[in-house]
Amino acid sequence: MPIYLYLNRATALHRLHPAVKILALFAVFWSIYWLDNPAALAPLGLMLVILAQVSGSWSNFYRLRWLLILIVFFTTLVWVLFYRQGPPLFRVGPLPISRASLEFGFGRGLKLAELIATTILFLSTTRVEEFAYGLAWLGMPHRIGFAITLAFRLAPLFIDSALDVVAAQRLRGHDFGRGGPIARMRGYAPVMVPVFMGALRKANNMAMALEARGFGHTNRPTSLAEYRLRPADWVGLAALGALATGSFLAYWLGYGAIKLTH
Amino acid sequence: MWHDTRMVVLCAISAALYAAVLIPFKVVPLIPGVTELRPANAIPIVCSFLFGPAAAWGSAIGNLVGDFFGGAGPGDFFGFFANLAYGFLPYKVWEAIGGRHSPLDRSAAAISKYIFTCFIASLLCADVVGWGDNLLGLRPFAVLGNLIVFNNMLASVVLAPFLLAAIYPRARAGRLLYGDLMPQEPPLRRSVRLYGLFLLVGGGLLAWAAGNLISAGYWLPAFLPGTMLHAPYSGVVAVVVSPPLALAVLGACLL
């Protein structure tokens, strides 16, 4: 079961410094945050589409297409219920639906989908090791960074182990899809216990192996992979700065907001 | 905690277990694309009783790992801290009110305390995510705030007791409980911890009630300027929900 989103490509986005990629994630989040109007969000969406093309990440976007579509649809629905502004266009039972509520809801849906698309792009172009390196470069303590990296590495092993247990339980006749939500949730206990026990058995050995290799000897360990800031990284940082400033200016000048007509 | 290698490993294992069950086992979508019934929510509760602070960090990191496999957003920044609370509170609240009971006891008093402990952890988790998402204007508090309490309580009450019954005795026999691994600091005075619990429960419930009423538009405080009183009520949530939430967090720190 493929769970990592990373795609090994030799593109300019892949080659960026890990810390620049993390800063890019925050800069794009910041830029999307200030905009509510779907028309103002559209250029950012277009930018993400172009970056997906440039970085060869389409397969991941295709894999998660239903997530993105459902997020737009259900977020629009939720905000149509909660955002009751502007003159009603029509009514659904007692609920007035206005152009503003539809626009606001769709804007929020688009905003969430763009935020998620940004992380898909980030994960498609960044290895776990690069992510940990970037966090350490930005000042995260080594031990916390190590725990995050180890968790990323262990999760697929535990997933494989859980899927093996699911297959074994199915062979014994266990039906995970039977019954209501409570019965189905309880049905997962026979999967989790063996996975949990396997993990506990690993804990002691893993701690001893780590200490035998000098883990904890220093809080600033060296890294096998070294990354340097190159001219392309500085160009990227400048572009991100311009994007973040432009988005805030759009908000400040009122272009990013939804205009209510009473 | 971070100085002990075994606690670092247990933190990573808690995180990986949480993520490993979170990613492939999404049982029933509650709101498609927003949240689903998550059997994985039993893991932080079980790990908290076993590994204490390692499980708290493990829960936060595990949620991050899970989100990263399916795409994350800025709301996940709050999800990190919400899950930290969800993994931190069960063992801390249990230390304050559990007395001589073990989480495996089946007496009425022990079961009531267990349910109360899980409810408080679920409530603060929901408050933090609901508050954060509404503050950013992404989703109304009333949607996530209630779904998370329901979701977490279901996993805590339906699934976690079975896991605890199977795993806790083995972890105790293997001397892997946090009490066996870490030197225990002397706890704060009982009166201080009970005061902390009072703040936690009172602040958590107030934040939850205010968040629900405000985000649904049923209560808009008259003392706030009219320019703030419009959906998505981010400003109102910031002014009204933040103080009780801060009290709840202060209470959690006093436990």
Side-chain angles (χ1 to χ4, degrees), chain A residues 25 30 44 78 82 89 97 106 121 139 147 151 159 171 177 191 195 200 202 209-212 215 217 225 228 237 251:
Chain A
L25 193 64
W30 162 275
L44 284 173
V78 165
F82 281 85
L89 281 178
I97 310 289
F106 183 63
L121 199 57
I159 289 174
L171 276 176
V191 177
V195 178
L200 279 188
K202 285 191 180 82
L210 281 171
E211 286 183 341
F215 180 79
H217 176 67
R228 290 187 193 289
L237 282 173
Y251 158 79

Side-chain angles (χ1 to χ4, degrees), chain A residues 1 3-5 25-26 29 33 36 63-64 66-67 70-71 74-75 78-79 82-85 104 108 111-112 115-120 122-123 131 135 143-159 162-163 166 176 180-193 195-197 199-204 206-208 210-211 215-216 219 260, chain B residues 1-6 8-17 19-21 23-28 31-34 37-40 42-43 46-47 50-51 57 61-62 64-65 67-74 77 80 133-140 142-143 151 154-155 157-159 162-163 166-167 170-171 174 176 181 212 215-218 229-234:
Chain A
M1 180 187 172
I3 54 166
Y4 285 120
L5 292 180
L25 193 64
F26 285 105
F29 280 177
Y33 171 76
D36 287 336
R63 191 169 133 194
L64 295 167
W66 285 111
L67 174 76
L70 286 173
I71 278 176
F74 281 97
T75 308
V78 165
W79 279 111
F82 281 85
Y83 188 89
R84 293 177 209 153
Q85 309 275 321
F104 185 85
R108 293 287 140 154
K111 188 183 247 194
L112 266 175
L115 293 167
I116 289 173
T118 310
T119 56
I120 295 173
F122 174 78
L123 295 170
F131 178 56
L135 290 177
R143 282 166 181 264
I144 299 180
F146 177 80
I148 294 174
T149 319
L150 187 57
F152 268 103
R153 284 281 166 240
L154 287 175
L157 298 180
F158 291 163
I159 289 174
L163 293 175
V166 166
F176 290 96
I182 292 178
R184 285 165 77 173
M185 190 173 267
R186 196 174 277 175
Y188 279 88
V191 177
M192 290 194 203
V193 172
V195 178
F196 219 115
M197 293 313 301
L200 279 188
R201 258 181 247 122
K202 285 191 180 82
N204 259 333
M206 214 181 283
M208 281 190 284
L210 281 171
E211 286 183 341
F215 180 79
N219 282 329
L260 293 175
Chain B
M1 181 210 111
W2 292 105
H3 293 290
D4 188 309
T5 307
R6 275 207 291 183
V8 175
V9 169
L10 287 174
C11 169
I13 282 182
S14 307
L17 276 170
V21 185
I23 297 162
F25 303 119
K26 297 182 171 182
V27 182
V28 178
I31 299 180
V34 178
L37 275 186
R38 306 204 304 182
I43 301 277
V46 176
C47 287
L50 300 175
F51 312 137
W57 285 101
I61 294 170
L64 179 83
V65 173
D67 284 336
F68 261 57
F69 283 118
F77 173 76
F80 182 89
D133 262 31
N134 208 141
L135 208 63
L136 295 179
L138 296 177
R139 283 176 283 227
V143 174
N151 220 348
L154 198 63
V157 173
V158 172
L159 190 53
F162 290 98
L163 298 179
I167 295 158
R170 291 172 171 89
L176 281 171
L181 295 174
N212 268 298
S215 65
Y218 289 120
L229 304 180
H230 58 81
Y233 306 114
S234 304

Side-chain angles (χ1 to χ4, degrees), chain B:
Chain B
M1 181 210 111
W2 292 105
H3 293 290
D4 188 309
T5 307
R6 275 207 291 183
M7 290 299 272
V8 175
V9 169
L10 287 174
C11 169
I13 282 182
S14 307
L17 276 170
Y18 189 22
V21 185
L22 203 59
I23 297 162
F25 303 119
K26 297 182 171 182
V27 182
V28 178
L30 292 174
I31 299 180
V34 178
T35 193
E36 58 285 310
L37 275 186
R38 306 204 304 182
N41 289 6
I43 301 277
I45 298 281
V46 176
C47 287
S48 182
F49 284 117
L50 300 175
F51 312 137
W57 285 101
S59 168
I61 294 170
N63 186 64
L64 179 83
V65 173
D67 284 336
F68 261 57
F69 283 118
D76 296 304
F77 173 76
F78 298 102
F80 182 89
F81 292 101
N83 277 278
L84 186 70
Y86 187 53
F88 173 77
L89 287 176
Y91 88 95
K92 273 292 179 186
V93 173
W94 190 264
E95 278 181 356
I97 63 168
R100 60 195 161 73
H101 292 294
S102 137
L104 299 181
D105 286 355
R106 288 290 162 261
S107 65
I111 291 173
S112 312
K113 286 176 185 177
Y114 173 81
I115 291 174
F116 174 76
T117 301
C118 294
F119 175 70
I120 294 304
S122 305
L123 186 71
L124 193 62
C125 178
D127 280 348
V128 174
V129 177
W131 170 78
D133 262 31
N134 208 141
L135 208 63
L136 295 179
L138 296 177
R139 283 176 283 227
F141 185 105
V143 174
L144 279 183
N146 296 317
L147 275 178
I148 290 172
V149 172
F150 169 75
N151 220 348
N152 287 359
M153 281 306 287
L154 198 63
S156 311
V157 173
V158 172
L159 190 53
F162 290 98
L163 298 179
L164 267 176
I167 295 158
Y168 193 89
R170 291 172 171 89
R172 188 166 49 193
R175 300 188 61 77
L176 281 171
L177 299 181
Y178 68 95
D180 300 322
L181 295 174
M182 277 175 60
Q184 294 293 296
E185 290 175 12
L188 294 172
R189 272 183 297 148
R190 186 169 164 73
S191 57
V192 175
R193 288 195 288 162
L194 288 178
Y195 180 62
L197 188 62
F198 171 74
L199 286 181
L200 173 65
V201 176
L205 285 172
L206 267 177
W208 181 74
N212 268 298
L213 291 172
I214 291 167
S215 65
Y218 289 120
W219 177 55
L220 299 171
F223 62 86
L224 290 173
T227 49
M228 287 175 85
L229 304 180
H230 58 81
Y233 306 114
S234 304
V236 190
V237 166
V239 173
V240 180
V241 180
S242 302
L245 190 58
L247 277 184
V249 172
L250 175 69
C253 295
L254 290 176
L255 284 171

Side-chain angles (χ1 to χ4, degrees), chain A residues 2-11 13-16 21 55-57 59-60 63-64 119-131 152-153 227, chain B residues 68-69:
Chain A
I3 54 166
Y4 285 120
L5 292 180
Y6 180 74
L7 298 166
N8 197 1
R9 311 260 195 273
T11 71
L13 279 187
H14 283 77
R15 283 193 294 269
L16 283 175
K21 290 186 204 173
S55 62
S57 311
S59 57
N60 280 337
R63 191 169 133 194
L64 295 167
T119 56
I120 295 173
L121 199 57
F122 174 78
L123 295 170
S124 302
T125 56
T126 313
R127 284 194 182 90
V128 174
E129 295 80 5
E130 290 175 339
F131 178 56
F152 268 103
R153 284 281 166 240
Y227 300 87
Chain B
F68 261 57
F69 283 118

